[in-house]
């Protein structure tokens, strides 16, 4: 899906996240890129959640999950280690 086009992902903007889910939720590929800290990210979008995997500059892999459940967002953060 990453054909050089850019998306703006702001985990504090729930309405924009809902639009991303509606627009890209049927995609079967992830979007790769770089966050504002220069870290590599991989974003997977489905109709009801967004998963952001970040290879942090400290070597840790962070996984942020944003799930839309009954119209509300539930967020989780997990660290998969080095």
């Amino acid at each position: 899906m990453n054909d050089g086009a850019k998306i703006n992902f702001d985990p504090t903007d729930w309405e924009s996240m809902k639009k991303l889910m509606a627009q890209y939720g049927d995609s079967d590929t992830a979007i790769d890129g770089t966050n504002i800290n220069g870290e590599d990210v991989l974003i997977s979008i489905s109709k009801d959640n967004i998963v952001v995997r970040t290879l942090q500059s400290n070597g840790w892999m962070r996984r942020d999950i944003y799930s839309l459940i009954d119209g509300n967002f539930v967020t989780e953060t997990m660290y998969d280690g080095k």
Side-chain angles (χ1 to χ4, degrees):
M1 181 173 129
N2 194 359
D3 58 0
K6 291 186 177 188
I7 66 163
N8 289 319
F9 176 76
D10 179 354
T12 64
D13 185 347
W14 304 119
E15 290 305 314
S16 290
M17 289 173 50
K18 287 180 185 177
K19 289 178 185 175
L20 287 173
M21 289 177 187
Q23 185 173 359
Y24 297 107
D26 290 328
S27 176
D28 58 354
T29 60
I31 302 165
D32 62 327
T34 304
N35 66 16
I36 60 173
N37 298 319
E39 300 166 323
D40 292 329
V41 296
L42 186 65
I43 302 174
S44 301
I45 303 174
S46 69
K47 288 289 185 187
D48 60 0
N49 71 39
I50 297 174
V51 178
V52 181
R53 292 172 184 85
T54 304
L55 179 56
Q56 298 182 140
S57 59
N58 64 3
W60 282 78
M61 179 65 72
R62 185 181 76 236
R63 188 168 23 134
D64 295 297
I65 303 167
Y66 307 92
S67 301
L68 185 58
I69 301 172
D70 295 327
N72 298 306
F73 274 96
V74 176
T75 62
E76 300 175 76
T77 299
M78 299 177 197
Y79 294 90
D80 295 334
K82 291 185 176 190

